[in-house]
């Protein structure tokens, strides 16, 4: 059985390209490309055969199929020879039942897809493994690629640098100086990437890297590159697989450059086209109010997405005013009756902290998604019986500055944090310690009683 996939222009220009051609834009119009899979060869296996094959491969060691991405290789990147796959066993992340947080919101089925539990701590690994593997294949075939390059708000550069280092390919990353966290800055440095910290914002870095990539020899690794979306679409497939091939009612995810939105939609669409599922979930994109071009377009009845200058937000990875994948994200959302919500700085920080109080440890972007969830539940758009999945995009361990600022009450945009928790500093006197513990337990008991009463109402 052989599988066929091609690159084609998203704007409809004639012609197909091979996915391992070193181009990332349409040669005719300069627009974005997309990967198309021929469905006829994929339909030679029936849905039950596909799901059995994917289930058998999950988390096994047979190279490269134990990866959550490469376990679905035929649907994702059949053009990559196994010896060129650059994998760090990405995907396969937990889908956990957020039972206490869901119950507090009146939801029986709230689930969190922990995409940040990945090699470099964010969902970007899913797409980067496909891109860097394809680049390794290009180089093996003698194509003129000297290095990979990206602009980043942090997570993309960490992922690109690590995968490029694993493959022995030079990486160049452009970051907005002073706008990424320490943890995110040190990741590409540690991987040996050439890190350029520019006096501009992400959108400025994006413009600069696009100019650079026009020079022969640099391959652009941003999410405008269609190869990354192929890997990212496996999130949708994995969620359905983890529900024993059942489709949830809602998926909520934070959106910045919006490639993840169209990738998610593509995954659900492919499963339905191949008969593995019969429906698709509604999708909600959650944006920070400080960087909300998609929300504004949605609010105006899906008007054109107008670029804006993104303002500072704790959700720094989605501080993007001119999302490159806006058009394809809107197409995906309209197809599934999707919608867009937004969250202020206080709302995203409080929602993340509230979820943390139930044992989660949410990054600020996941906080944006939780804040959107809380609004949709309050408005009755999401009902108590709906099965809801929130995509958590990154490890909160990368965002210690926000957590510290929140609990210390030093965030300018969050003057009254609702769930702040401070260390109790004491002498070592046993009586003083016992007294402090007794008071803490009394407070906890009173809070639990009040919460139970509120949940029963
Ligand atoms: Zn074109």
């Amino acid at each position: 059985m052989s599988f066929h996939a091609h690159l084609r222009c998203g704007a409809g220009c004639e012609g197909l390209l091979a996915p391992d051609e070193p181009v990332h834009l349409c040669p005719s119009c300069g627009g974005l490309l997309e990967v198309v899979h021929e469905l006829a060869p994929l339909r030679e296996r029936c849905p039950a055969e596909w799901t059995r094959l994917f289930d058998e491969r999950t988390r096994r060691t047979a190279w490269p199929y134990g990866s959550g991405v490469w376990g679905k290789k035929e649907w994702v990147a059949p053009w990559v020879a196994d010896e060129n796959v650059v994998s760090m066993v990405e995907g396969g992340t937990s889908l956990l039942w957020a039972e206490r947080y869901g119950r507090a919101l009146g939801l029986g089925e709230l689930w969190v897809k922990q995409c940040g539990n990945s090699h470099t701590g964010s969902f970007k690994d899913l797409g980067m493994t496909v891109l860097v593997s394809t680049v390794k294949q290009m180089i093996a075939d003698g194509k003129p690629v000297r290095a990979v390059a990206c602009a980043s708000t942090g997570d993309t550069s960490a992922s690109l640098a690590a995968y490029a280092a694993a493959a022995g390919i030079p990486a160049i990353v452009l970051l907005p100086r002073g706008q990424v966290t320490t943890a995110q800055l040190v990741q590409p440095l540690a991987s040996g990437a050439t890190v350029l910290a520019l006096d501009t914002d992400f959108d400025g870095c994006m413009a600069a890297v696009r100019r650079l990539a026009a020079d022969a020899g640099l391959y652009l690794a941003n999410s405008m590159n269609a190869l990354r979306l192929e890997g990212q679409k496996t999130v949708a497939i994995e969620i359905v697989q983890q529900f024993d091939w059942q489709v949830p009612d809602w998926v909520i995810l934070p959106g910045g450059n919006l490639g993840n939105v169209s990738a998610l939609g593509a995954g659900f669409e492919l499963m339905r086209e191949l008969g593995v599922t019969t429906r698709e979930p509604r999708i909600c994109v959650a944006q920070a109010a400080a960087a909300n071009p998609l929300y504004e377009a949605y609010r105006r009845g899906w008007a054109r997405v107008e670029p804006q200058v993104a303002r500072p937000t704790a959700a720094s990875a989605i501080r993007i005013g001119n999302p490159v994948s806006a058009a394809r994200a809107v197409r995906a959302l309209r197809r599934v009756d999707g919608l867009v919500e937004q969250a202020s700085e206080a709302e995203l920080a409080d929602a993340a902290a509230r979820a943390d109080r139930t044992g989660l440890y949410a990054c600020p972007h996941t906080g944006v998604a939780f804040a959107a969830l809380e609004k949709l539940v309050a408005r009755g758009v999401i009902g108590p019986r709906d099965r809801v999945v929130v995509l958590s995009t990154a490890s909160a361990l990368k965002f210690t500055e926000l957590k510290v600022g929140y609990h210390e009450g030093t965030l300018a945009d969050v003057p009254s944090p609702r769930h702040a928790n401070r260390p109790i500093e004491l002498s070592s006197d046993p009586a003083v310690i016992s007294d402090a513990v007794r008071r803490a337990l009394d407070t906890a008991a009173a809070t639990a009683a009040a919460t139970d009463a509120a949940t029963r109402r």
Side-chain angles (χ1 to χ4, degrees), residues 133-255:
S133 299
T134 304
V135 170
K136 187 176 175 191
Q137 180 151 310
M138 291 174 190
I139 293 171
D141 291 344
K143 290 179 180 153
V145 178
R146 295 183 63 198
V148 286
C150 75
S152 177
T153 52
D155 291 332
T156 300
S157 58
S159 185
L160 177 66
Y163 280 83
I169 299 168
I172 296 166
V173 309
L174 284 67
L175 300 170
R177 179 149 79 181
Q179 294 180 26
V180 302
T181 70
T182 307
Q184 289 173 315
L185 176 61
V186 82
Q187 283 185 290
L189 290 172
S191 298
T194 300
V195 176
L196 309 178
L198 306 187
D199 286 325
T200 178
D201 58 7
F202 169 79
D203 295 301
C205 291
M206 194 69 233
V209 82
R210 290 181 78 154
R211 279 192 299 274
L212 269 181
D215 294 342
L218 275 190
Y219 187 71
L220 188 69
N222 276 97
S223 65
M224 65 170 55
N225 188 310
L227 301 182
R228 282 191 39 208
L229 304 189
E230 290 308 291
Q232 288 180 20
K233 83 182 180 197
T234 61
V235 170
I237 305 165
E238 214 169 82
I239 289 170
V240 170
Q241 182 180 19
Q242 286 168 312
F243 284 129
D244 293 326
W245 302 100
Q246 300 297 308
V247 179
D249 299 304
W250 283 92
V251 179
I252 303 175
L253 77 169

Side-chain angles (χ1 to χ4, degrees), residues 9 11-13 26 28-31:
C9 173
C13 296
C26 170
S28 303
C29 72

Side-chain angles (χ1 to χ4, degrees), residues 27 64 95 126 168 241 245 285 299 311 335 385 431:
L95 176 66
L126 300 173
Q241 182 180 19
W245 302 100
V285 176
R299 211 172 52 83
R311 288 172 283 123
R335 193 168 50 74
R385 292 180 188 283

